[in-house]
Structure formats: structure tokens, C-alpha cells
Amino acid sequence: MKKYYKLRFGSNKFSFLIDKKAFAVSVILLVVTCLVFLTSTGVGEVLIHPLNVLKTLFGYGDEMENLFIFSFRLPRIMIALLVGISLAVAGAILQGLIRNPLASPDIIGITGGGSVGVVLFLMLFSDKNNSLFVSIKWMPVAAFIGAAIVGILVYLLSWKNGASSIRLVLIGIGLSMLAQSLTTLFMVKGPIYQASQANVWITGTVYGATWEHVRILTPVVVILLVISIISIRNVNIQELGDELATGVGSAVQRNRFFLLLLSTALTGSAVAFAGVIGFVGLMAPHIGRRLVGSSFGALLPVSALIGAILVMLADLLGRILFSPLEVPAGVFTAAIGAPYFIYLLYKTRNS
């Protein structure tokens, strides 16, 4: 018990064990997240000192600093933070559900479904003048619907006396390829201008994020995170395998479907506001597992913080490396994630 902190509440009716190592890692990552947040807020075409950033955040900045921080930078940084958390937690749930460290929302096609939804939206609701005749605010809804449809299809097509983990992966990979093909087809069929717009979005970017997006996404992510925390026990039991999970009284198939829907909701929310930022759902949980182990209670907060750091750093690099041009954040996560995925495949083959 020396490895754990013991917390008791309500006249000892409720008690919790907190892993000391996981707590220390979480605190360190939280500090790193705050540092990346402040750095990203202050760095750009106009440099703002970190102390001035803090003063501005607390309402003591001058007019120019208020303009740059609150109007231009803070909304996109908040969206990057929330998207990173969503994708990382979704990936952690999928990896626990499928019992495979190579599982992630983009690998099994959920993010691809969001891409199809967006490109189809742009193709169907564009007129001959390459302008939308419905509000662009409906595009996130199209992304969410596309991701949800693929998530449900993965489960239904995997069903054969239950949905096994192996079938979930194989069906997911197949639907991912189908989603990529449909995305390309709809981009070719649509107007060139809309295809170009869709291509930037599909790459994954938080450019153009607004406070309205933040107000919509924040409560969604908070609610889904609370549900994820409540579901910690179910994810841990899923990792035991179907027979052991059934033996301890778990409703395996019902919990599996619920967890898949939860992961789909997290992914769909992220894709709806930032496009397809790939590999975060793969890398963040895997890095977290190496730091604190596979227990979901420790892995969840660590993965969430790592995901937030990855997306905020990717957005920061996209803003400053090729200024005045902006590179989508998804380019940098893919540049890191693709070699990391190859490394994981190589390691799995030799294990």
C-alpha cells in the first residue's frame, strides 16, 4: 500500500487508492500543459512575454495584447486543448476495448467517417458559384453524423454471437479504407474550390476557431470526460478478455457497445471542430501506458494531458515555422505519428 495514497470521504463510507507514480506524472504533465498553453498564447507574429500573457488573462493587459490573445489566439488554443483531450481519451478507450495498442479512432475508420460527412456536406450544399446555400455552422454536425454512422457500422458488421475485438479491428480497417475512397470520390465530384476547402479541413486544423466553437465544444467534452471516468471499471474489465469479464459479472457486449459509442462521440466532437488530426488517439494512450501502466484510472488523465500537449504543440509549430503561411496541425501530428506507428508495428512483430 506504500505505492498509493488513501483518500476517505463521508465518514469512511467512500475510499479511493491513488497511485503515487501516476499522480506525480499527472502533476508534471499538467505543469507542461500549462507551460505549452502560455507559450502558444504568447508566440506568433507578435511576441508577448509570458508575464504579460498572465496579466492579460487576468484582465490587466493593454488593448493590443487583449486583441491578439482573446480574439486571435485563445479560441484556437482552447479548441486544440479540447480536441487533444477528446482524441486521446477516445484512443485510450478503444485500445482498452479492443485490447490492442495499435487501435485508434483513425485506424478503425471513425475519423474517416467524419471526413466523408464533411466532404458530402460541401458537395451537396454548394451551388454553381461555389458558395454554400446553408450555414457553414452545420458542417460540424455533418462530421459528427459521419463519425457516428461509421462507429455504429463497425459494431453491427462485427456482430456474430457478439462483437469480438479482432472483428472490430478488421471491420474498422475495411471501413476506414472505404471512407477514404468515398472522401476522394466526393472531392473529385465536387467543385474545385470546395474540394480545396475540404482538403485543408481533412488534414486537420484549428484555424478559424471562434469563441462560439469553444462554448459548444467545452460542455460536450466535459460531459463525455465525466462519463469516461465513470466507465473506468468497465474498460479495465474489458481488458481481461470476454471469458473473465463475463465471469466477474460484466455485461460484456452491452458495455462494449456503450464504450464504442463513447469513443465515437469523443472522436466525432473533435473531428467536427478541428478536422482529421491523425495519430493523437494512437500516440497519447501508448505513451501514457509506458509512463503509468495500463490501469485506465491512471491512464485516462495522463493520456488526456498528453493529447492536449501534442495538439497544442502541433498548432504552435504550424503557426510559427513557416510564417506567414500556416500549416495545419494535422501535418505535424502525422509527421510524428506515422513513424511512431511503424515503430509500434515493428515492436509488435518482434514481441
Side-chain angles (χ1 to χ4, degrees), residues 237-265:
I237 291 176
Q238 289 282 331
E239 290 190 314
L240 297 175
D242 291 2
E243 292 183 2
L244 285 176
T246 302
V248 298
S250 173
V252 175
Q253 297 303 328
R254 185 182 66 191
N255 290 336
R256 183 167 291 163
F257 180 65
F258 171 76
L259 291 171
L260 182 61
L261 285 182
L262 179 58
S263 178
T264 300

PDB file of all heavy atoms in Angstrom, residues 237-265:
ATOM      1  N   ILE A 237     -12.229  -4.007 -17.018  1.00  0.00           N
ATOM      2  CA  ILE A 237     -12.764  -5.365 -17.117  1.00  0.00           C
ATOM      3  C   ILE A 237     -12.684  -5.876 -18.550  1.00  0.00           C
ATOM      4  O   ILE A 237     -12.379  -7.052 -18.790  1.00  0.00           O
ATOM      5  CB  ILE A 237     -14.215  -5.402 -16.594  1.00  0.00           C
ATOM      6  CG1 ILE A 237     -14.223  -5.188 -15.074  1.00  0.00           C
ATOM      7  CG2 ILE A 237     -14.886  -6.728 -16.932  1.00  0.00           C
ATOM      8  CD1 ILE A 237     -15.597  -5.103 -14.468  1.00  0.00           C
ATOM      9  N   GLN A 238     -12.930  -4.998 -19.533  1.00  0.00           N
ATOM     10  CA  GLN A 238     -12.841  -5.410 -20.935  1.00  0.00           C
ATOM     11  C   GLN A 238     -11.453  -5.934 -21.268  1.00  0.00           C
ATOM     12  O   GLN A 238     -11.300  -6.846 -22.086  1.00  0.00           O
ATOM     13  CB  GLN A 238     -13.190  -4.238 -21.851  1.00  0.00           C
ATOM     14  CG  GLN A 238     -14.659  -3.840 -21.861  1.00  0.00           C
ATOM     15  CD  GLN A 238     -15.518  -4.761 -22.695  1.00  0.00           C
ATOM     16  OE1 GLN A 238     -15.060  -5.358 -23.659  1.00  0.00           O
ATOM     17  NE2 GLN A 238     -16.782  -4.897 -22.311  1.00  0.00           N
ATOM     18  N   GLU A 239     -10.432  -5.363 -20.648  1.00  0.00           N
ATOM     19  CA  GLU A 239      -9.062  -5.780 -20.942  1.00  0.00           C
ATOM     20  C   GLU A 239      -8.750  -7.177 -20.416  1.00  0.00           C
ATOM     21  O   GLU A 239      -7.738  -7.767 -20.784  1.00  0.00           O
ATOM     22  CB  GLU A 239      -8.073  -4.767 -20.354  1.00  0.00           C
ATOM     23  CG  GLU A 239      -8.075  -3.426 -21.081  1.00  0.00           C
ATOM     24  CD  GLU A 239      -6.928  -2.545 -20.645  1.00  0.00           C
ATOM     25  OE1 GLU A 239      -6.695  -2.440 -19.431  1.00  0.00           O
ATOM     26  OE2 GLU A 239      -6.269  -1.961 -21.522  1.00  0.00           O
ATOM     27  N   LEU A 240      -9.612  -7.725 -19.559  1.00  0.00           N
ATOM     28  CA  LEU A 240      -9.392  -9.076 -19.046  1.00  0.00           C
ATOM     29  C   LEU A 240      -9.716 -10.147 -20.079  1.00  0.00           C
ATOM     30  O   LEU A 240      -9.311 -11.291 -19.930  1.00  0.00           O
ATOM     31  CB  LEU A 240     -10.258  -9.307 -17.797  1.00  0.00           C
ATOM     32  CG  LEU A 240      -9.978  -8.424 -16.579  1.00  0.00           C
ATOM     33  CD1 LEU A 240     -11.002  -8.705 -15.482  1.00  0.00           C
ATOM     34  CD2 LEU A 240      -8.568  -8.647 -16.061  1.00  0.00           C
ATOM     35  N   GLY A 241     -10.473  -9.781 -21.119  1.00  0.00           N
ATOM     36  CA  GLY A 241     -10.936 -10.768 -22.088  1.00  0.00           C
ATOM     37  C   GLY A 241     -12.390 -11.117 -21.829  1.00  0.00           C
ATOM     38  O   GLY A 241     -12.910 -10.932 -20.724  1.00  0.00           O
ATOM     39  N   ASP A 242     -13.064 -11.667 -22.840  1.00  0.00           N
ATOM     40  CA  ASP A 242     -14.505 -11.910 -22.753  1.00  0.00           C
ATOM     41  C   ASP A 242     -14.867 -12.910 -21.664  1.00  0.00           C
ATOM     42  O   ASP A 242     -15.820 -12.706 -20.909  1.00  0.00           O
ATOM     43  CB  ASP A 242     -15.030 -12.410 -24.102  1.00  0.00           C
ATOM     44  CG  ASP A 242     -15.002 -11.329 -25.163  1.00  0.00           C
ATOM     45  OD1 ASP A 242     -14.533 -10.209 -24.853  1.00  0.00           O
ATOM     46  OD2 ASP A 242     -15.436 -11.587 -26.292  1.00  0.00           O
ATOM     47  N   GLU A 243     -14.113 -14.005 -21.555  1.00  0.00           N
ATOM     48  CA  GLU A 243     -14.475 -15.048 -20.605  1.00  0.00           C
ATOM     49  C   GLU A 243     -14.336 -14.578 -19.169  1.00  0.00           C
ATOM     50  O   GLU A 243     -15.236 -14.767 -18.343  1.00  0.00           O
ATOM     51  CB  GLU A 243     -13.616 -16.291 -20.844  1.00  0.00           C
ATOM     52  CG  GLU A 243     -13.910 -16.986 -22.170  1.00  0.00           C
ATOM     53  CD  GLU A 243     -13.081 -18.247 -22.340  1.00  0.00           C
ATOM     54  OE1 GLU A 243     -12.323 -18.589 -21.411  1.00  0.00           O
ATOM     55  OE2 GLU A 243     -13.193 -18.885 -23.402  1.00  0.00           O
ATOM     56  N   LEU A 244     -13.212 -13.948 -18.859  1.00  0.00           N
ATOM     57  CA  LEU A 244     -13.011 -13.460 -17.490  1.00  0.00           C
ATOM     58  C   LEU A 244     -13.974 -12.327 -17.165  1.00  0.00           C
ATOM     59  O   LEU A 244     -14.498 -12.247 -16.046  1.00  0.00           O
ATOM     60  CB  LEU A 244     -11.568 -12.997 -17.306  1.00  0.00           C
ATOM     61  CG  LEU A 244     -10.507 -14.095 -17.179  1.00  0.00           C
ATOM     62  CD1 LEU A 244      -9.119 -13.478 -17.097  1.00  0.00           C
ATOM     63  CD2 LEU A 244     -10.778 -14.934 -15.937  1.00  0.00           C
ATOM     64  N   ALA A 245     -14.208 -11.444 -18.150  1.00  0.00           N
ATOM     65  CA  ALA A 245     -15.133 -10.336 -17.919  1.00  0.00           C
ATOM     66  C   ALA A 245     -16.536 -10.849 -17.633  1.00  0.00           C
ATOM     67  O   ALA A 245     -17.232 -10.356 -16.736  1.00  0.00           O
ATOM     68  CB  ALA A 245     -15.148  -9.403 -19.121  1.00  0.00           C
ATOM     69  N   THR A 246     -16.956 -11.872 -18.386  1.00  0.00           N
ATOM     70  CA  THR A 246     -18.269 -12.475 -18.138  1.00  0.00           C
ATOM     71  C   THR A 246     -18.299 -13.154 -16.777  1.00  0.00           C
ATOM     72  O   THR A 246     -19.298 -13.092 -16.050  1.00  0.00           O
ATOM     73  CB  THR A 246     -18.606 -13.493 -19.239  1.00  0.00           C
ATOM     74  OG1 THR A 246     -18.571 -12.837 -20.510  1.00  0.00           O
ATOM     75  CG2 THR A 246     -19.983 -14.097 -19.019  1.00  0.00           C
ATOM     76  N   GLY A 247     -17.172 -13.768 -16.412  1.00  0.00           N
ATOM     77  CA  GLY A 247     -17.084 -14.483 -15.138  1.00  0.00           C
ATOM     78  C   GLY A 247     -17.230 -13.592 -13.919  1.00  0.00           C
ATOM     79  O   GLY A 247     -17.727 -14.034 -12.874  1.00  0.00           O
ATOM     80  N   VAL A 248     -16.826 -12.337 -14.042  1.00  0.00           N
ATOM     81  CA  VAL A 248     -16.947 -11.422 -12.898  1.00  0.00           C
ATOM     82  C   VAL A 248     -18.274 -10.657 -12.922  1.00  0.00           C
ATOM     83  O   VAL A 248     -18.484  -9.729 -12.143  1.00  0.00           O
ATOM     84  CB  VAL A 248     -15.770 -10.423 -12.849  1.00  0.00           C
ATOM     85  CG1 VAL A 248     -14.454 -11.158 -12.676  1.00  0.00           C
ATOM     86  CG2 VAL A 248     -15.743  -9.530 -14.091  1.00  0.00           C
ATOM     87  N   GLY A 249     -19.158 -11.058 -13.844  1.00  0.00           N
ATOM     88  CA  GLY A 249     -20.497 -10.472 -13.861  1.00  0.00           C
ATOM     89  C   GLY A 249     -20.686  -9.272 -14.756  1.00  0.00           C
ATOM     90  O   GLY A 249     -21.690  -8.564 -14.640  1.00  0.00           O
ATOM     91  N   SER A 250     -19.749  -9.013 -15.677  1.00  0.00           N
ATOM     92  CA  SER A 250     -19.862  -7.863 -16.569  1.00  0.00           C
ATOM     93  C   SER A 250     -20.723  -8.211 -17.778  1.00  0.00           C
ATOM     94  O   SER A 250     -20.614  -9.309 -18.344  1.00  0.00           O
ATOM     95  CB  SER A 250     -18.473  -7.422 -17.042  1.00  0.00           C
ATOM     96  OG  SER A 250     -18.566  -6.416 -18.026  1.00  0.00           O
ATOM     97  N   ALA A 251     -21.594  -7.272 -18.175  1.00  0.00           N
ATOM     98  CA  ALA A 251     -22.369  -7.430 -19.411  1.00  0.00           C
ATOM     99  C   ALA A 251     -21.468  -7.014 -20.570  1.00  0.00           C
ATOM    100  O   ALA A 251     -21.481  -5.852 -21.004  1.00  0.00           O
ATOM    101  CB  ALA A 251     -23.638  -6.590 -19.359  1.00  0.00           C
ATOM    102  N   VAL A 252     -20.683  -7.959 -21.073  1.00  0.00           N
ATOM    103  CA  VAL A 252     -19.580  -7.656 -21.986  1.00  0.00           C
ATOM    104  C   VAL A 252     -20.055  -6.934 -23.240  1.00  0.00           C
ATOM    105  O   VAL A 252     -19.536  -5.876 -23.604  1.00  0.00           O
ATOM    106  CB  VAL A 252     -18.823  -8.948 -22.360  1.00  0.00           C
ATOM    107  CG1 VAL A 252     -17.750  -8.649 -23.410  1.00  0.00           C
ATOM    108  CG2 VAL A 252     -18.200  -9.558 -21.123  1.00  0.00           C
ATOM    109  N   GLN A 253     -21.046  -7.507 -23.935  1.00  0.00           N
ATOM    110  CA  GLN A 253     -21.463  -6.937 -25.211  1.00  0.00           C
ATOM    111  C   GLN A 253     -22.128  -5.572 -25.036  1.00  0.00           C
ATOM    112  O   GLN A 253     -21.889  -4.647 -25.814  1.00  0.00           O
ATOM    113  CB  GLN A 253     -22.412  -7.898 -25.933  1.00  0.00           C
ATOM    114  CG  GLN A 253     -21.776  -9.228 -26.296  1.00  0.00           C
ATOM    115  CD  GLN A 253     -20.525  -9.065 -27.154  1.00  0.00           C
ATOM    116  OE1 GLN A 253     -20.429  -8.136 -27.944  1.00  0.00           O
ATOM    117  NE2 GLN A 253     -19.562  -9.953 -26.990  1.00  0.00           N
ATOM    118  N   ARG A 254     -22.955  -5.431 -24.005  1.00  0.00           N
ATOM    119  CA  ARG A 254     -23.595  -4.146 -23.764  1.00  0.00           C
ATOM    120  C   ARG A 254     -22.574  -3.065 -23.432  1.00  0.00           C
ATOM    121  O   ARG A 254     -22.629  -1.944 -23.963  1.00  0.00           O
ATOM    122  CB  ARG A 254     -24.607  -4.277 -22.622  1.00  0.00           C
ATOM    123  CG  ARG A 254     -25.429  -3.008 -22.370  1.00  0.00           C
ATOM    124  CD  ARG A 254     -26.364  -3.200 -21.203  1.00  0.00           C
ATOM    125  NE  ARG A 254     -25.609  -3.374 -19.957  1.00  0.00           N
ATOM    126  CZ  ARG A 254     -26.153  -3.775 -18.810  1.00  0.00           C
ATOM    127  NH1 ARG A 254     -27.442  -4.075 -18.767  1.00  0.00           N
ATOM    128  NH2 ARG A 254     -25.410  -3.886 -17.730  1.00  0.00           N
ATOM    129  N   ASN A 255     -21.617  -3.412 -22.575  1.00  0.00           N
ATOM    130  CA  ASN A 255     -20.574  -2.450 -22.210  1.00  0.00           C
ATOM    131  C   ASN A 255     -19.675  -2.130 -23.404  1.00  0.00           C
ATOM    132  O   ASN A 255     -19.242  -0.983 -23.573  1.00  0.00           O
ATOM    133  CB  ASN A 255     -19.723  -2.990 -21.058  1.00  0.00           C
ATOM    134  CG  ASN A 255     -20.489  -3.035 -19.753  1.00  0.00           C
ATOM    135  OD1 ASN A 255     -21.461  -2.294 -19.558  1.00  0.00           O
ATOM    136  ND2 ASN A 255     -20.082  -3.906 -18.844  1.00  0.00           N
ATOM    137  N   ARG A 256     -19.416  -3.144 -24.232  1.00  0.00           N
ATOM    138  CA  ARG A 256     -18.571  -2.926 -25.406  1.00  0.00           C
ATOM    139  C   ARG A 256     -19.239  -1.948 -26.367  1.00  0.00           C
ATOM    140  O   ARG A 256     -18.583  -1.046 -26.908  1.00  0.00           O
ATOM    141  CB  ARG A 256     -18.289  -4.262 -26.090  1.00  0.00           C
ATOM    142  CG  ARG A 256     -17.359  -4.179 -27.282  1.00  0.00           C
ATOM    143  CD  ARG A 256     -16.895  -5.559 -27.693  1.00  0.00           C
ATOM    144  NE  ARG A 256     -16.012  -6.126 -26.681  1.00  0.00           N
ATOM    145  CZ  ARG A 256     -15.715  -7.421 -26.588  1.00  0.00           C
ATOM    146  NH1 ARG A 256     -16.257  -8.287 -27.430  1.00  0.00           N
ATOM    147  NH2 ARG A 256     -14.893  -7.844 -25.660  1.00  0.00           N
ATOM    148  N   PHE A 257     -20.534  -2.124 -26.599  1.00  0.00           N
ATOM    149  CA  PHE A 257     -21.262  -1.216 -27.490  1.00  0.00           C
ATOM    150  C   PHE A 257     -21.287   0.199 -26.906  1.00  0.00           C
ATOM    151  O   PHE A 257     -21.073   1.183 -27.620  1.00  0.00           O
ATOM    152  CB  PHE A 257     -22.688  -1.734 -27.691  1.00  0.00           C
ATOM    153  CG  PHE A 257     -23.523  -0.868 -28.584  1.00  0.00           C
ATOM    154  CD1 PHE A 257     -23.199  -0.713 -29.922  1.00  0.00           C
ATOM    155  CD2 PHE A 257     -24.635  -0.189 -28.092  1.00  0.00           C
ATOM    156  CE1 PHE A 257     -23.963   0.089 -30.757  1.00  0.00           C
ATOM    157  CE2 PHE A 257     -25.401   0.611 -28.913  1.00  0.00           C
ATOM    158  CZ  PHE A 257     -25.068   0.752 -30.255  1.00  0.00           C
ATOM    159  N   PHE A 258     -21.521   0.308 -25.602  1.00  0.00           N
ATOM    160  CA  PHE A 258     -21.558   1.626 -24.962  1.00  0.00           C
ATOM    161  C   PHE A 258     -20.203   2.317 -25.059  1.00  0.00           C
ATOM    162  O   PHE A 258     -20.120   3.511 -25.370  1.00  0.00           O
ATOM    163  CB  PHE A 258     -21.965   1.478 -23.494  1.00  0.00           C
ATOM    164  CG  PHE A 258     -21.830   2.751 -22.702  1.00  0.00           C
ATOM    165  CD1 PHE A 258     -22.758   3.775 -22.847  1.00  0.00           C
ATOM    166  CD2 PHE A 258     -20.753   2.946 -21.834  1.00  0.00           C
ATOM    167  CE1 PHE A 258     -22.628   4.958 -22.131  1.00  0.00           C
ATOM    168  CE2 PHE A 258     -20.623   4.121 -21.117  1.00  0.00           C
ATOM    169  CZ  PHE A 258     -21.563   5.133 -21.268  1.00  0.00           C
ATOM    170  N   LEU A 259     -19.109   1.585 -24.800  1.00  0.00           N
ATOM    171  CA  LEU A 259     -17.777   2.173 -24.848  1.00  0.00           C
ATOM    172  C   LEU A 259     -17.408   2.585 -26.272  1.00  0.00           C
ATOM    173  O   LEU A 259     -16.742   3.612 -26.476  1.00  0.00           O
ATOM    174  CB  LEU A 259     -16.741   1.187 -24.301  1.00  0.00           C
ATOM    175  CG  LEU A 259     -16.830   0.918 -22.798  1.00  0.00           C
ATOM    176  CD1 LEU A 259     -15.914  -0.241 -22.406  1.00  0.00           C
ATOM    177  CD2 LEU A 259     -16.454   2.167 -21.996  1.00  0.00           C
ATOM    178  N   LEU A 260     -17.847   1.806 -27.259  1.00  0.00           N
ATOM    179  CA  LEU A 260     -17.589   2.174 -28.656  1.00  0.00           C
ATOM    180  C   LEU A 260     -18.334   3.460 -29.006  1.00  0.00           C
ATOM    181  O   LEU A 260     -17.787   4.349 -29.665  1.00  0.00           O
ATOM    182  CB  LEU A 260     -18.007   1.042 -29.583  1.00  0.00           C
ATOM    183  CG  LEU A 260     -17.753   1.257 -31.082  1.00  0.00           C
ATOM    184  CD1 LEU A 260     -16.263   1.434 -31.359  1.00  0.00           C
ATOM    185  CD2 LEU A 260     -18.311   0.103 -31.904  1.00  0.00           C
ATOM    186  N   LEU A 261     -19.580   3.585 -28.543  1.00  0.00           N
ATOM    187  CA  LEU A 261     -20.335   4.812 -28.769  1.00  0.00           C
ATOM    188  C   LEU A 261     -19.681   6.000 -28.057  1.00  0.00           C
ATOM    189  O   LEU A 261     -19.647   7.114 -28.600  1.00  0.00           O
ATOM    190  CB  LEU A 261     -21.776   4.651 -28.279  1.00  0.00           C
ATOM    191  CG  LEU A 261     -22.718   3.813 -29.137  1.00  0.00           C
ATOM    192  CD1 LEU A 261     -24.112   3.795 -28.516  1.00  0.00           C
ATOM    193  CD2 LEU A 261     -22.783   4.340 -30.558  1.00  0.00           C
ATOM    194  N   LEU A 262     -19.167   5.775 -26.862  1.00  0.00           N
ATOM    195  CA  LEU A 262     -18.498   6.843 -26.113  1.00  0.00           C
ATOM    196  C   LEU A 262     -17.256   7.316 -26.861  1.00  0.00           C
ATOM    197  O   LEU A 262     -17.015   8.527 -27.000  1.00  0.00           O
ATOM    198  CB  LEU A 262     -18.123   6.337 -24.717  1.00  0.00           C
ATOM    199  CG  LEU A 262     -17.392   7.311 -23.794  1.00  0.00           C
ATOM    200  CD1 LEU A 262     -18.205   8.578 -23.572  1.00  0.00           C
ATOM    201  CD2 LEU A 262     -17.077   6.637 -22.454  1.00  0.00           C
ATOM    202  N   SER A 263     -16.463   6.375 -27.354  1.00  0.00           N
ATOM    203  CA  SER A 263     -15.272   6.729 -28.129  1.00  0.00           C
ATOM    204  C   SER A 263     -15.657   7.455 -29.413  1.00  0.00           C
ATOM    205  O   SER A 263     -14.997   8.423 -29.811  1.00  0.00           O
ATOM    206  CB  SER A 263     -14.474   5.462 -28.459  1.00  0.00           C
ATOM    207  OG  SER A 263     -13.353   5.761 -29.249  1.00  0.00           O
ATOM    208  N   THR A 264     -16.744   7.003 -30.059  1.00  0.00           N
ATOM    209  CA  THR A 264     -17.214   7.651 -31.276  1.00  0.00           C
ATOM    210  C   THR A 264     -17.665   9.082 -31.001  1.00  0.00           C
ATOM    211  O   THR A 264     -17.387  10.005 -31.776  1.00  0.00           O
ATOM    212  CB  THR A 264     -18.370   6.847 -31.888  1.00  0.00           C
ATOM    213  OG1 THR A 264     -17.918   5.528 -32.205  1.00  0.00           O
ATOM    214  CG2 THR A 264     -18.892   7.513 -33.150  1.00  0.00           C
ATOM    215  N   ALA A 265     -18.359   9.290 -29.886  1.00  0.00           N
ATOM    216  CA  ALA A 265     -18.818  10.637 -29.531  1.00  0.00           C
ATOM    217  C   ALA A 265     -17.642  11.572 -29.283  1.00  0.00           C
ATOM    218  O   ALA A 265     -17.648  12.728 -29.727  1.00  0.00           O
ATOM    219  CB  ALA A 265     -19.715  10.570 -28.298  1.00  0.00           C
TER     220      ALA A 265
END
